[in-house]
Amino acid sequence: MILKCPSCQQALISTQNTYRCSNNHCFDIAKEGYTNLLLAQHKRSKNPGDDNTMMACRQAFLNQGYYQFLVDALVAILDNANDQTLLDIGCGEGFYGHQIKQHYPRAQLAGIDIAKGGVRLAAKRKSNNAPAYTQLAVASAYDLPFMTQNFDCAVSVFSPVDPPETARVLKPGGQLIIVGPAKNHLKGLAESIYDEFKPHANGFRTLEGHPSFERLGSTIIEQNATIEGASIYQLLTMTPYFWSTSEEKQAAIKKRATLSTPLAFEISRYKRL
Ligand SMILES: C[S@@+](CC[C@H](N)C(=O)[O-])C[C@H]1O[C@@H](n2cnc3c(N)ncnc32)[C@H](O)[C@@H]1O
Ligand SMILES: [Zn+2]
């Protein structure tokens, strides 16, 4: 995996605690082990991406294992990812990358997210006492900080995907896996906020008709879950529903002991042509 300089697009070479390109653009490797490759002029806000509270709640919720059946489906679809190079696009706090690395310990895993707070948490995730991610950078999915044809596979779980950029960094024949919500995802949570639940449409970030990708298929997986205690509010906080939930409804959700809801995911697979 070779990082790319965001200023001049040349390869970055690591020297001690920095990455440097042939034009002498230099980027520090943070003590946690990630590199910030998001240039100030490419930021739309001071702290882009999901905020630290959302990240912490997502980490606490996902660590409880409610989405384990999604992890199982993902690792099964990856088939044998050992000795492969994988990219986790919009890795957030690193839950899925960490799980993938646990199943495929010889995989070379890279992750990017536009939120520095998320990347910092992902950098702390360990697998067999070593960092779960081989390479982690603060960067945008629309300007991936890697040289062309670096990866055997890219995964995006509920995160943005830019088809041309993703095609650029995948090897020909490489796989792209996109996970998004299926029809009934979090219906129980939504019903405790809105009068009416609007089902999700299938085809989250579909790449239908994109010339660089062939659709291999998609799988929908669904389970009913009973979310308990503090996990209910963490779930609310990690989703976009949070922003449209009144303080009154938030307080009511906080008091609930259990919440029953379907969890439903659509996993779409594409081949880089
Ligand atoms: C719903 S979260 C999913 C995080 C993680 N994949 C997971 O499922 O736990 C979406 C993530 O995309 C990140 N994000 C938003 N815009 C982005 C962009 N342009 N490039 C990279 N990441 C982005 C957010 O910061 C956030 O971490
Ligand atoms: Zn450079």
Side-chain angles (χ1 to χ4, degrees):
M1 290 179 231
I2 305 174
L3 285 171
K4 174 173 83 76
C5 174
S7 295
C8 70
Q9 323 305 319
Q10 298 300 307
L12 288 170
I13 312 292
S14 73
T15 49
Q16 290 180 332
N17 294 331
T18 57
Y19 278 103
R20 200 179 285 276
C21 71
S22 55
N23 290 318
N24 237 355
H25 299 121
C26 189
F27 303 89
D28 289 342
I29 303 173
K31 65 176 187 312
E32 295 90 345
Y34 69 88
T35 311
N36 189 346
L37 295 174
L38 192 63
L39 300 178
Q41 62 266 35
H42 293 165
K43 282 195 200 178
R44 296 228 180 107
S45 63
K46 190 162 178 279
N47 294 308
D50 288 3
D51 66 29
N52 290 350
T53 309
M54 250 175 141
M55 291 289 180
C57 283
R58 185 168 298 132
Q59 182 158 76
F61 177 83
L62 292 174
N63 283 348
Q64 295 300 311
Y66 291 107
Y67 284 12
Q68 187 57 42
F69 72 109
L70 170 57
V71 171
D72 295 342
L74 252 184
V75 297
I77 282 171
L78 285 171
D79 198 10
N80 194 352
N82 269 322
D83 304 314
Q84 291 202 346
T85 44
L86 308 178
L87 173 62
D88 184 358
I89 303 175
C91 63
E93 49 68 51
F95 175 76
Y96 294 99
H98 179 242
Q99 295 286 333
I100 290 168
K101 183 74 178 177
Q102 296 280 92
H103 281 81
Y104 298 112
R106 294 201 313 278
Q108 295 276 307
L109 178 66
I112 66 105
D113 199 287
I114 206 162
K116 200 204 289 190
V119 173
R120 194 185 284 133
L121 287 173
K124 291 182 183 157
R125 287 205 177 258
K126 297 274 186 291
S127 183
N128 282 327
N129 293 323
Y133 289 87
T134 316
Q135 195 75 260
L136 267 173
V138 182
S140 171
Y142 298 89
D143 184 15
L144 292 169
F146 298 96
M147 302 303 280
T148 56
Q149 299 188 9
N150 253 239
F151 295 98
D152 298 300
C153 181
V155 177
S156 170
V157 184
F158 283 79
S159 291
V161 178
D162 183 55
E165 261 303 81
T166 312
R168 185 182 65 74
V169 302
L170 277 172
K171 296 175 188 171
Q175 233 194 135
L176 168 62
I177 297 172
I178 299 178
V179 178
K183 197 171 152 202
N184 291 326
H185 187 51
L186 299 182
K187 184 167 184 261
L189 179 66
E191 282 173 347
S192 65
I193 303 166
Y194 310 112
D195 295 336
E196 202 189 338
F197 169 70
K198 284 205 195 94
H200 299 275
N202 285 344
F204 178 80
R205 313 224 191 281
T206 182
L207 304 191
E208 215 59 71
H210 196 278
S212 302
F213 288 99
E214 176 192 337
R215 185 179 164 88
L216 298 177
S218 98
T219 313
I220 290 180
I221 54 171
E222 180 162 344
Q223 269 189 11
N224 284 314
T226 303
I227 318 288
E228 293 179 353
S231 297
I232 303 169
Y233 190 70
Q234 287 159 357
L235 175 64
L236 172 67
T237 312
M238 75 181 231
T239 69
Y241 291 138
F242 180 75
W243 306 111
S244 53
T245 308
S246 65
E247 282 187 16
E248 207 180 351
K249 288 217 160 119
Q250 281 186 36
I253 288 171
K254 248 184 192 162
K255 280 191 202 138
R256 288 183 71 149
T258 59
L259 174 98
S260 292
T261 184
L263 306 174
F265 305 100
E266 183 184 26
I267 308 173
S268 300
R269 291 180 301 123
Y270 296 87
K271 183 168 112 181
R272 160 75 164 101
L273 295 171

